[in-house]
Amino acid sequence: VPEGVEVELYRRAAATLVGERVVAVDAPDAWFLKHTDAAEVTAALVDAVITSIDRRGKLLLLRLDTGVSVGLRFGMTGRLLVSGPAGQVNPVAELRYGAVRDDATWDRFAARTARGVTVRVSDPRRLGAVELAPDEDAIGPDFLTLTARRLTTSLDGTGVPIKAALLDQARVGGLGNMLVDEICWQARLDPAVPTGRVRASPAGVDALAAQIRATGRRALRRGGSHTGELPRDVDAPCRRDGSVLQRRTIGGRTTFSCPVCQSEQPW
DNA sequence: GATGACCTGTGA
DNA sequence: TCACAGGTCATC
């Protein structure tokens, strides 16, 4: 599943596109284009030069010399594939999650540059999106550089479970279901604990911010948000104490946690 | 603030 | 055959 970790890997893979002029666009799936259509997105890209490629949370941004930015979202199953003139596919294509096949009917969006580099979004489930000039300010501080100070602001006074707060892209950008479960497990924090209780402890906010950064960096190093130590299996034992993991729905998402080592406030 | 819809491949 | 996966958004 493409969380911020995967999108960061996509960004690095796509860095080869910087400085390239776009010569062709293929946008065969109108449903995938949000607040725009194939003609408009083609007009925005063709003849423009890609000046930089940025990431805000799970949003990938192709910035153009025209001042326009094209936002790519990957939903649950979207992948970014970059291929050079020789046709080789970028290693990002090897990432393991969900479907690993590369079916041409899943192609939702593609752009080709003058030198023959192609960037392509493949998404079987069609939950991703392409958007012109997306609202970048709607995304909170990034999970890889999150400070305790900014996390404190993001956790302002509510009783929502801490997991739901961390999944809220307006509060923290880039975290998805799997990474949040892993972060809570690493922090020995019950994902159901009210956000206000975490915020009330400066030491807790500090530790949580550090854990978010550390877990994010580790997942990045290991190549994906699915590489954590917390098993996502029914009846799987906790790696720390061997307890049978608990499976619940929190924040509308399937949640795994250890009923023993994550049951008490660690701070 | 919680819930369901969106979408469709996957595996039981 | 059908529940299930989960990022995002609309609606309750």
Side-chain angles (χ1 to χ4, degrees):
Chain A
V1 172
E3 302 187 18
V5 170
E6 282 73 20
V7 180
E8 174 62 16
L9 293 170
Y10 296 163
R11 186 191 67 77
R12 295 176 184 182
T16 153
L17 287 158
V18 172
E20 297 268 317
R21 185 175 299 276
V22 177
V23 295
V25 166
D26 188 24
D29 187 353
W31 196 90
F32 209 74
L33 309 176
K34 298 297 148 66
H35 314 120
T36 187
D37 56 31
E40 190 182 32
V41 78
T42 300
L45 274 158
V46 170
D47 289 337
V49 173
I50 298 172
T51 52
S52 68
I53 299 186
D54 296 332
R55 180 184 62 79
R56 285 288 292 260
K58 303 172 188 171
L59 175 69
L60 192 70
L61 292 149
L62 310 183
R63 301 202 191 279
L64 308 174
D65 63 346
T66 56
V68 174
S69 291
V70 179
L72 305 181
R73 300 180 193 275
F74 300 93
M76 273 185 67
T77 53
R79 291 191 297 165
L80 189 80
L81 299 110
V82 182
S83 52
Q88 79 276 15
V89 175
N90 188 284
V92 171
E94 312 297 329
L95 281 177
R96 296 281 193 276
Y97 47 76
V100 288
R101 286 189 291 136
D102 183 16
D103 190 320
T105 65
W106 297 339
D107 284 353
R108 309 300 175 194
F109 178 80
R112 184 164 49 83
T113 71
R115 286 211 337 237
V117 179
T118 298
V119 60
R120 179 162 59 92
V121 178
S122 172
D123 184 5
R125 295 276 299 278
R126 304 171 79 204
L127 288 170
V130 173
E131 189 179 0
L132 290 179
D135 181 9
E136 303 175 30
D137 295 332
I139 300 168
D142 198 75
F143 72 115
L144 285 176
T145 52
L146 183 66
T147 63
R149 178 187 293 267
R150 281 182 291 182
L151 182 58
T152 304
T153 305
S154 292
L155 299 183
D156 60 354
T158 65
V160 295
I162 186 65
K163 169 162 180 175
L166 294 178
L167 283 173
D168 183 350
Q169 299 302 295
R171 296 174 184 263
V172 179
L175 299 179
N177 195 37
M178 286 188 284
L179 212 57
V180 167
D181 276 5
E182 176 71 12
I183 287 163
C184 288
W185 185 82
Q186 292 285 351
R188 305 184 187 227
L189 174 67
D190 182 351
V193 79
T195 295
R197 285 246 302 279
V198 178
R199 192 182 195 271
S201 165
V205 175
D206 207 54
L208 182 56
Q211 193 58 249
I212 289 169
R213 297 190 304 267
T215 301
R217 283 199 303 270
R218 188 182 317 113
L220 200 52
R221 207 164 52 236
R222 293 182 182 178
S225 42
H226 60 289
T227 60
E229 294 186 75
L230 173 72
R232 302 189 68 75
D233 282 315
V234 188
D235 297 336
C238 171
R239 288 265 252 281
R240 213 145 38 208
D241 55 33
S243 307
V244 176
L245 293 180
Q246 185 176 13
R247 178 197 163 117
R248 291 173 288 178
T249 299
I250 299 174
R253 305 261 78 98
T254 300
T255 301
F256 289 94
S257 64
C258 175
V260 177
C261 65
Q262 290 178 256
S263 63
E264 289 180 20
Q265 280 280 97
W267 316 299

